[in-house]
Amino acid sequence: FHPDTNETADALFDRLCEAGLARFYGTEHVAARARLEHEQRVIREMGFVSYFLIVWDLIRWARANGVPVGPGRGSAAGAIVAYVLEITKVDPLKYDLLFERFLNSARISMPDIDIDFCKEGREKVLDYTRRRYGTENVAQIVTFGTMASRTVVRDVGRVLEVPLKDVDRITKKIQAGPNAPSLAEALQQDPELIAVRNESALFAEVFALSTKLEGMARHISTHAAGVVIADRPIVDYVPLARHEDDIVTQWPAPQLEALGLVKMDYLGLRTLTILERALGYIARTGAT
């Protein structure tokens, strides 16, 4: 992060934290002072000063430009640094929240602050990010849609020209959902599915191919929230692709983080949009 002022990132970080401490706790709050200094030391040792300033800058710009921002979520709410920088709106001392759930010097991991923006304003923040850090240094993240058990049977049935009524009959017998067994497991446990497989050689071939293809990537899409910001063109680190109107990385989030790139989460919440509109309607009607 390169400050717009002549100070270093570390100096800006310290100044903003001191100003926030005085604003929210006063200058004589011993517990807040001790907690802030501890967190600042850990953040500095782990090399995340710029990360906090990037998040602070995004939220500051959004609020200044009429984009509603949520109060914060997840483990980041346990950081007094996030509170005094107004990244979050929850006082971690009041609610006895733990900073170590967010960052812990004994367990090196990338920080992860999920930022809630109004759904209609999320694209404005993305545009600002590209202007601030360079279009070539910013990309959204790819996700891969995989072949679930029902989907893969439908796809294989279509290729093998199995009548649609038969495909529908088969897929209705396949369990779906996060706790459903894999197709291979179901074919060992489910008597009805086993009976269907044994009805014909064609059905047996459908299941044989489907069990091999299940779980493989079927299509790409754009991560609902993930954005990568790099210090130089992202194509220097990972290959890129175009998906619809987005430029996305060809590698998904876990591989990007393993490479050392930081994933920022820009969540677009329709709830914030609805609340903002409701407040606007109230203001226009003069209701109290």
Side-chain angles (χ1 to χ4, degrees):
F1 184 84
H2 300 288
D4 294 329
T5 58
N6 291 325
E7 55 199 327
T8 64
D10 281 75
L12 175 61
F13 178 67
D14 289 340
R15 178 169 64 79
L16 292 173
C17 285
E18 284 296 322
L21 180 71
R23 185 164 60 253
F24 290 109
Y25 296 102
T27 56
E28 305 301 322
H29 197 300
V30 177
R33 165 69 64 186
R35 173 76 171 262
L36 180 66
E37 290 179 355
H38 165 69
E39 291 188 13
Q40 285 179 293
R41 183 171 63 255
V42 172
I43 290 166
R44 191 166 274 115
E45 287 173 357
M46 297 179 76
F48 294 143
V49 168
S50 277
Y51 174 83
F52 272 88
L53 290 176
I54 290 169
V55 176
W56 162 80
D57 180 60
L58 293 174
I59 292 175
R60 175 201 60 78
W61 184 91
R63 288 184 178 136
N65 287 273
V67 177
V69 183
R73 66 161 79 200
S75 60
I80 198 171
V81 166
Y83 181 57
V84 299
L85 291 178
E86 296 189 68
I87 291 171
T88 62
K89 294 286 189 177
V90 180
D91 183 348
L93 296 188
K94 179 179 179 181
Y95 295 101
D96 198 23
L97 303 178
L98 299 175
F99 172 67
E100 285 71 21
R101 284 200 65 240
F102 174 61
L103 280 182
N104 191 329
S105 55
R107 179 180 57 84
I108 303 299
S109 61
M110 302 298 277
D112 185 16
I113 299 176
D114 294 337
I115 315 170
D116 294 328
F117 296 113
C118 157
K119 191 170 184 67
E120 292 184 350
R122 179 179 181 271
E123 193 59 40
K124 294 179 183 177
V125 183
L126 270 173
D127 287 341
Y128 169 72
T129 307
R130 295 184 185 106
R131 293 196 304 273
R132 172 96 197 191
Y133 299 103
T135 302
E136 68 282 0
N137 294 10
V138 178
Q140 297 192 74
I141 299 174
V142 75
T143 58
F144 294 101
T146 55
M147 294 188 184
S149 51
R150 287 185 175 182
T151 304
V152 73
V153 167
R154 286 193 176 279
D155 285 351
V156 171
R158 189 181 305 113
V159 171
L160 295 182
E161 298 183 349
V162 179
L164 184 59
K165 62 181 179 59
D166 289 330
V167 174
D168 287 340
R169 182 166 63 89
I170 294 171
T171 54
K172 285 177 181 177
K173 296 182 182 297
I174 299 173
Q175 293 184 50
N179 297 318
S182 68
L183 193 56
E185 292 170 340
L187 286 167
Q188 293 177 342
Q189 304 165 1
D190 190 329
E192 289 190 25
L193 213 55
I194 294 170
V196 171
R197 179 186 60 186
N198 295 337
E199 283 182 21
S200 70
L202 181 59
F203 289 176
E205 186 178 8
V206 168
F207 282 116
L209 293 172
S210 297
T211 53
K212 293 178 181 178
L213 294 172
E214 184 180 14
M216 295 184 69
R218 184 177 187 273
H219 60 272
I220 72 167
S221 57
T222 302
H223 193 289
V227 177
V228 170
I229 307 172
D231 57 341
R232 61 177 192 260
I234 291 177
V235 74
D236 292 351
Y237 295 106
V238 296
L240 301 177
R242 182 181 293 279
H243 177 249
E244 297 175 349
D245 294 328
D246 300 322
I247 299 298
V248 298
T249 62
Q250 288 190 33
W251 296 0
Q255 282 79 2
L256 297 176
E257 291 181 339
L259 188 65
L261 293 171
V262 177
K263 174 174 72 72
M264 313 288 288
D265 283 318
Y266 295 44
L267 292 94
L269 292 195
R270 194 173 300 280
T271 308
L272 290 174
T273 306
I274 293 169
L275 289 170
E276 184 69 10
R277 286 182 179 177
L279 291 172
Y281 294 149
I282 291 168
R284 284 200 294 274
T285 59
T288 58

Tab-separated table of all heavy atoms in Angstrom, residues 40-82:
chain	number	residue	atom	x	y	z
A	40	GLN	N	-0.900	-4.576	16.972
A	40	GLN	CA	-0.027	-3.902	16.013
A	40	GLN	C	1.304	-4.642	15.873
A	40	GLN	O	1.830	-4.784	14.770
A	40	GLN	CB	0.226	-2.460	16.450
A	40	GLN	CG	-0.942	-1.514	16.217
A	40	GLN	CD	-0.615	-0.114	16.710
A	40	GLN	OE1	-0.458	0.104	17.911
A	40	GLN	NE2	-0.513	0.815	15.790
A	41	ARG	N	1.827	-5.100	16.992
A	41	ARG	CA	3.105	-5.828	16.954
A	41	ARG	C	2.972	-7.127	16.149
A	41	ARG	O	3.823	-7.431	15.299
A	41	ARG	CB	3.570	-6.129	18.375
A	41	ARG	CG	4.935	-6.826	18.438
A	41	ARG	CD	5.461	-6.917	19.860
A	41	ARG	NE	4.585	-7.730	20.717
A	41	ARG	CZ	3.766	-7.240	21.639
A	41	ARG	NH1	3.697	-5.920	21.838
A	41	ARG	NH2	3.014	-8.035	22.379
A	42	VAL	N	1.898	-7.870	16.383
A	42	VAL	CA	1.693	-9.125	15.654
A	42	VAL	C	1.492	-8.850	14.163
A	42	VAL	O	2.077	-9.529	13.303
A	42	VAL	CB	0.478	-9.890	16.228
A	42	VAL	CG1	0.130	-11.090	15.347
A	42	VAL	CG2	0.764	-10.350	17.652
A	43	ILE	N	0.674	-7.865	13.840
A	43	ILE	CA	0.407	-7.526	12.440
A	43	ILE	C	1.694	-7.115	11.732
A	43	ILE	O	1.953	-7.513	10.588
A	43	ILE	CB	-0.652	-6.406	12.355
A	43	ILE	CG1	-2.015	-6.956	12.794
A	43	ILE	CG2	-0.733	-5.812	10.952
A	43	ILE	CD1	-3.053	-5.886	13.066
A	44	ARG	N	2.515	-6.334	12.429
A	44	ARG	CA	3.778	-5.889	11.827
A	44	ARG	C	4.738	-7.066	11.637
A	44	ARG	O	5.392	-7.186	10.595
A	44	ARG	CB	4.385	-4.800	12.710
A	44	ARG	CG	5.542	-4.067	12.065
A	44	ARG	CD	5.885	-2.796	12.817
A	44	ARG	NE	5.085	-1.668	12.404
A	44	ARG	CZ	4.214	-1.013	13.164
A	44	ARG	NH1	4.016	-1.384	14.403
A	44	ARG	NH2	3.539	0.005	12.688
A	45	GLU	N	4.824	-7.926	12.639
A	45	GLU	CA	5.725	-9.083	12.549
A	45	GLU	C	5.321	-10.023	11.417
A	45	GLU	O	6.172	-10.629	10.760
A	45	GLU	CB	5.732	-9.855	13.873
A	45	GLU	CG	6.476	-9.152	15.005
A	45	GLU	CD	6.303	-9.868	16.335
A	45	GLU	OE1	5.546	-10.877	16.377
A	45	GLU	OE2	6.914	-9.430	17.327
A	46	MET	N	4.014	-10.147	11.179
A	46	MET	CA	3.524	-11.053	10.137
A	46	MET	C	3.491	-10.405	8.759
A	46	MET	O	3.174	-11.051	7.758
A	46	MET	CB	2.133	-11.574	10.511
A	46	MET	CG	2.119	-12.400	11.787
A	46	MET	SD	0.477	-13.010	12.256
A	46	MET	CE	0.270	-14.349	11.081
A	47	GLY	N	3.799	-9.098	8.697
A	47	GLY	CA	3.891	-8.411	7.415
A	47	GLY	C	2.562	-8.028	6.799
A	47	GLY	O	2.437	-7.946	5.572
A	48	PHE	N	1.553	-7.741	7.653
A	48	PHE	CA	0.217	-7.494	7.139
A	48	PHE	C	-0.236	-6.043	7.293
A	48	PHE	O	-1.442	-5.763	7.209
A	48	PHE	CB	-0.798	-8.409	7.825
A	48	PHE	CG	-0.588	-9.874	7.500
A	48	PHE	CD1	-0.797	-10.844	8.465
A	48	PHE	CD2	-0.182	-10.268	6.238
A	48	PHE	CE1	-0.608	-12.192	8.175
A	48	PHE	CE2	0.012	-11.604	5.937
A	48	PHE	CZ	-0.204	-12.571	6.901
A	49	VAL	N	0.690	-5.117	7.498
A	49	VAL	CA	0.308	-3.707	7.625
A	49	VAL	C	-0.383	-3.224	6.353
A	49	VAL	O	-1.458	-2.606	6.397
A	49	VAL	CB	1.540	-2.835	7.939
A	49	VAL	CG1	1.205	-1.357	7.776
A	49	VAL	CG2	2.036	-3.112	9.359
A	50	SER	N	0.208	-3.511	5.203
A	50	SER	CA	-0.378	-3.061	3.944
A	50	SER	C	-1.743	-3.689	3.702
A	50	SER	O	-2.651	-3.049	3.156
A	50	SER	CB	0.559	-3.376	2.776
A	50	SER	OG	1.547	-2.379	2.646
A	51	TYR	N	-1.892	-4.936	4.116
A	51	TYR	CA	-3.188	-5.597	3.946
A	51	TYR	C	-4.283	-4.819	4.676
A	51	TYR	O	-5.346	-4.548	4.123
A	51	TYR	CB	-3.124	-7.033	4.466
A	51	TYR	CG	-4.463	-7.737	4.456
A	51	TYR	CD1	-4.936	-8.334	3.297
A	51	TYR	CD2	-5.258	-7.785	5.601
A	51	TYR	CE1	-6.174	-8.970	3.276
A	51	TYR	CE2	-6.496	-8.407	5.592
A	51	TYR	CZ	-6.944	-9.001	4.432
A	51	TYR	OH	-8.171	-9.615	4.418
A	52	PHE	N	-4.014	-4.452	5.933
A	52	PHE	CA	-5.011	-3.699	6.692
A	52	PHE	C	-5.279	-2.344	6.055
A	52	PHE	O	-6.423	-1.878	6.033
A	52	PHE	CB	-4.543	-3.525	8.139
A	52	PHE	CG	-4.943	-4.654	9.041
A	52	PHE	CD1	-4.138	-5.769	9.164
A	52	PHE	CD2	-6.131	-4.614	9.745
A	52	PHE	CE1	-4.507	-6.829	9.980
A	52	PHE	CE2	-6.518	-5.658	10.563
A	52	PHE	CZ	-5.703	-6.777	10.687
A	53	LEU	N	-4.249	-1.702	5.532
A	53	LEU	CA	-4.445	-0.394	4.910
A	53	LEU	C	-5.246	-0.504	3.610
A	53	LEU	O	-6.052	0.380	3.292
A	53	LEU	CB	-3.087	0.262	4.642
A	53	LEU	CG	-2.338	0.725	5.889
A	53	LEU	CD1	-0.961	1.260	5.512
A	53	LEU	CD2	-3.135	1.793	6.651
A	54	ILE	N	-5.046	-1.585	2.865
A	54	ILE	CA	-5.825	-1.795	1.643
A	54	ILE	C	-7.305	-1.943	1.992
A	54	ILE	O	-8.180	-1.321	1.374
A	54	ILE	CB	-5.316	-3.030	0.873
A	54	ILE	CG1	-3.941	-2.745	0.261
A	54	ILE	CG2	-6.303	-3.435	-0.223
A	54	ILE	CD1	-3.235	-3.978	-0.280
A	55	VAL	N	-7.598	-2.757	3.008
A	55	VAL	CA	-8.994	-2.960	3.425
A	55	VAL	C	-9.579	-1.654	3.956
A	55	VAL	O	-10.708	-1.273	3.627
A	55	VAL	CB	-9.090	-4.073	4.486
A	55	VAL	CG1	-10.526	-4.205	4.989
A	55	VAL	CG2	-8.607	-5.401	3.918
A	56	TRP	N	-8.800	-0.951	4.787
A	56	TRP	CA	-9.250	0.343	5.321
A	56	TRP	C	-9.575	1.313	4.185
A	56	TRP	O	-10.609	1.992	4.209
A	56	TRP	CB	-8.149	0.940	6.218
A	56	TRP	CG	-8.302	2.411	6.455
A	56	TRP	CD1	-9.130	3.016	7.341
A	56	TRP	CD2	-7.610	3.470	5.763
A	56	TRP	NE1	-9.006	4.379	7.249
A	56	TRP	CE2	-8.083	4.694	6.288
A	56	TRP	CE3	-6.641	3.503	4.762
A	56	TRP	CZ2	-7.601	5.919	5.837
A	56	TRP	CZ3	-6.178	4.724	4.312
A	56	TRP	CH2	-6.659	5.915	4.852
A	57	ASP	N	-8.717	1.370	3.183
A	57	ASP	CA	-8.904	2.302	2.072
A	57	ASP	C	-10.143	1.960	1.258
A	57	ASP	O	-10.909	2.851	0.858
A	57	ASP	CB	-7.657	2.277	1.181
A	57	ASP	CG	-7.770	3.213	-0.006
A	57	ASP	OD1	-7.929	4.423	0.219
A	57	ASP	OD2	-7.730	2.727	-1.154
A	58	LEU	N	-10.377	0.673	1.005
A	58	LEU	CA	-11.559	0.263	0.244
A	58	LEU	C	-12.845	0.661	0.969
A	58	LEU	O	-13.780	1.204	0.364
A	58	LEU	CB	-11.546	-1.252	0.021
A	58	LEU	CG	-10.462	-1.815	-0.890
A	58	LEU	CD1	-10.512	-3.340	-0.877
A	58	LEU	CD2	-10.623	-1.300	-2.308
A	59	ILE	N	-12.889	0.396	2.277
A	59	ILE	CA	-14.086	0.702	3.053
A	59	ILE	C	-14.273	2.202	3.193
A	59	ILE	O	-15.386	2.728	3.094
A	59	ILE	CB	-14.010	0.003	4.426
A	59	ILE	CG1	-14.117	-1.514	4.226
A	59	ILE	CG2	-15.095	0.501	5.369
A	59	ILE	CD1	-13.936	-2.329	5.483
A	60	ARG	N	-13.163	2.924	3.419
A	60	ARG	CA	-13.232	4.386	3.520
A	60	ARG	C	-13.781	4.976	2.229
A	60	ARG	O	-14.673	5.829	2.250
A	60	ARG	CB	-11.825	4.924	3.788
A	60	ARG	CG	-11.715	6.447	3.804
A	60	ARG	CD	-10.283	6.893	3.558
A	60	ARG	NE	-9.766	6.429	2.270
A	60	ARG	CZ	-10.060	6.990	1.108
A	60	ARG	NH1	-10.877	8.024	1.053
A	60	ARG	NH2	-9.545	6.505	-0.012
A	61	TRP	N	-13.278	4.498	1.074
A	61	TRP	CA	-13.733	5.023	-0.214
A	61	TRP	C	-15.207	4.692	-0.429
A	61	TRP	O	-15.984	5.540	-0.902
A	61	TRP	CB	-12.897	4.432	-1.356
A	61	TRP	CG	-13.259	5.018	-2.689
A	61	TRP	CD1	-12.710	6.111	-3.295
A	61	TRP	CD2	-14.300	4.543	-3.567
A	61	TRP	NE1	-13.340	6.348	-4.492
A	61	TRP	CE2	-14.317	5.405	-4.690
A	61	TRP	CE3	-15.200	3.492	-3.515
A	61	TRP	CZ2	-15.208	5.243	-5.743
A	61	TRP	CZ3	-16.095	3.323	-4.565
A	61	TRP	CH2	-16.094	4.187	-5.666
A	62	ALA	N	-15.600	3.463	-0.108
A	62	ALA	CA	-16.990	3.053	-0.319
A	62	ALA	C	-17.942	3.941	0.473
A	62	ALA	O	-18.933	4.455	-0.068
A	62	ALA	CB	-17.166	1.585	0.078
A	63	ARG	N	-17.658	4.153	1.748
A	63	ARG	CA	-18.546	4.971	2.578
A	63	ARG	C	-18.583	6.413	2.078
A	63	ARG	O	-19.637	7.048	2.074
A	63	ARG	CB	-18.084	4.917	4.025
A	63	ARG	CG	-18.358	3.566	4.692
A	63	ARG	CD	-17.968	3.567	6.150
A	63	ARG	NE	-18.285	2.282	6.780
A	63	ARG	CZ	-17.483	1.628	7.593
A	63	ARG	NH1	-16.293	2.126	7.901
A	63	ARG	NH2	-17.850	0.474	8.120
A	64	ALA	N	-17.413	6.914	1.640
A	64	ALA	CA	-17.349	8.296	1.164
A	64	ALA	C	-18.094	8.482	-0.155
A	64	ALA	O	-18.470	9.598	-0.506
A	64	ALA	CB	-15.890	8.726	1.006
A	65	ASN	N	-18.318	7.393	-0.874
A	65	ASN	CA	-18.957	7.484	-2.184
A	65	ASN	C	-20.339	6.825	-2.222
A	65	ASN	O	-20.815	6.414	-3.281
A	65	ASN	CB	-18.041	6.863	-3.246
A	65	ASN	CG	-16.838	7.742	-3.542
A	65	ASN	OD1	-16.903	8.634	-4.393
A	65	ASN	ND2	-15.747	7.513	-2.829
A	66	GLY	N	-20.954	6.741	-1.054
A	66	GLY	CA	-22.347	6.320	-0.991
A	66	GLY	C	-22.609	4.847	-1.176
A	66	GLY	O	-23.735	4.464	-1.500
A	67	VAL	N	-21.582	4.008	-0.979
A	67	VAL	CA	-21.781	2.559	-1.073
A	67	VAL	C	-21.927	2.008	0.343
A	67	VAL	O	-20.970	2.062	1.122
A	67	VAL	CB	-20.595	1.865	-1.782
A	67	VAL	CG1	-20.802	0.347	-1.798
A	67	VAL	CG2	-20.423	2.405	-3.193
A	68	PRO	N	-23.102	1.505	0.709
A	68	PRO	CA	-23.280	0.963	2.054
A	68	PRO	C	-22.331	-0.203	2.329
A	68	PRO	O	-22.105	-1.052	1.459
A	68	PRO	CB	-24.738	0.493	2.060
A	68	PRO	CG	-25.401	1.296	0.999
A	68	PRO	CD	-24.359	1.499	-0.062
A	69	VAL	N	-21.773	-0.217	3.538
A	69	VAL	CA	-20.824	-1.256	3.954
A	69	VAL	C	-21.342	-1.891	5.240
A	69	VAL	O	-21.842	-1.199	6.127
A	69	VAL	CB	-19.414	-0.662	4.196
A	69	VAL	CG1	-18.421	-1.772	4.561
A	69	VAL	CG2	-18.933	0.100	2.976
A	70	GLY	N	-21.221	-3.199	5.336
A	70	GLY	CA	-21.687	-3.910	6.523
A	70	GLY	C	-20.809	-3.633	7.732
A	70	GLY	O	-19.716	-3.066	7.616
A	71	PRO	N	-21.254	-4.061	8.913
A	71	PRO	CA	-20.521	-3.786	10.156
A	71	PRO	C	-19.348	-4.730	10.403
A	71	PRO	O	-18.631	-4.580	11.380
A	71	PRO	CB	-21.596	-3.980	11.233
A	71	PRO	CG	-22.516	-5.000	10.649
A	71	PRO	CD	-22.543	-4.722	9.166
A	72	GLY	N	-19.138	-5.685	9.515
A	72	GLY	CA	-18.057	-6.653	9.715
A	72	GLY	C	-18.614	-8.003	10.109
A	72	GLY	O	-19.707	-8.115	10.654
A	73	ARG	N	-17.850	-9.033	9.813
A	73	ARG	CA	-18.291	-10.388	10.119
A	73	ARG	C	-17.075	-11.269	10.385
A	73	ARG	O	-15.939	-10.926	10.063
A	73	ARG	CB	-19.094	-10.966	8.960
A	73	ARG	CG	-18.260	-11.160	7.707
A	73	ARG	CD	-18.905	-12.123	6.745
A	73	ARG	NE	-19.982	-11.532	5.969
A	73	ARG	CZ	-20.919	-12.250	5.376
A	73	ARG	NH1	-20.918	-13.560	5.495
A	73	ARG	NH2	-21.850	-11.657	4.667
A	74	GLY	N	-17.335	-12.419	10.990
A	74	GLY	CA	-16.273	-13.410	11.160
A	74	GLY	C	-15.246	-13.026	12.197
A	74	GLY	O	-15.436	-12.126	13.023
A	75	SER	N	-14.100	-13.703	12.135
A	75	SER	CA	-13.072	-13.557	13.165
A	75	SER	C	-12.417	-12.184	13.167
A	75	SER	O	-11.832	-11.775	14.174
A	75	SER	CB	-11.999	-14.638	12.984
A	75	SER	OG	-11.385	-14.537	11.712
A	76	ALA	N	-12.504	-11.430	12.071
A	76	ALA	CA	-11.904	-10.093	12.018
A	76	ALA	C	-12.513	-9.156	13.053
A	76	ALA	O	-11.871	-8.197	13.488
A	76	ALA	CB	-12.056	-9.488	10.621
A	77	ALA	N	-13.742	-9.445	13.476
A	77	ALA	CA	-14.389	-8.614	14.489
A	77	ALA	C	-13.684	-8.712	15.838
A	77	ALA	O	-13.937	-7.892	16.727
A	77	ALA	CB	-15.860	-9.010	14.635
A	78	GLY	N	-12.790	-9.674	16.006
A	78	GLY	CA	-12.031	-9.792	17.243
A	78	GLY	C	-10.802	-8.908	17.293
A	78	GLY	O	-10.098	-8.883	18.306
A	79	ALA	N	-10.529	-8.172	16.220
A	79	ALA	CA	-9.333	-7.326	16.148
A	79	ALA	C	-9.677	-5.889	16.517
A	79	ALA	O	-10.507	-5.259	15.862
A	79	ALA	CB	-8.721	-7.383	14.748
A	80	ILE	N	-9.034	-5.371	17.553
A	80	ILE	CA	-9.268	-3.972	17.919
A	80	ILE	C	-8.695	-3.046	16.853
A	80	ILE	O	-9.197	-1.933	16.646
A	80	ILE	CB	-8.675	-3.661	19.314
A	80	ILE	CG1	-9.292	-2.372	19.873
A	80	ILE	CG2	-7.163	-3.576	19.267
A	80	ILE	CD1	-8.915	-2.109	21.331
A	81	VAL	N	-7.673	-3.505	16.138
A	81	VAL	CA	-7.131	-2.713	15.024
A	81	VAL	C	-8.209	-2.502	13.970
A	81	VAL	O	-8.385	-1.390	13.451
A	81	VAL	CB	-5.892	-3.399	14.415
A	81	VAL	CG1	-5.543	-2.770	13.066
A	81	VAL	CG2	-4.696	-3.291	15.348
A	82	ALA	N	-8.953	-3.565	13.651
A	82	ALA	CA	-10.032	-3.430	12.666
A	82	ALA	C	-11.106	-2.468	13.171
A	82	ALA	O	-11.682	-1.700	12.390
A	82	ALA	CB	-10.633	-4.800	12.361
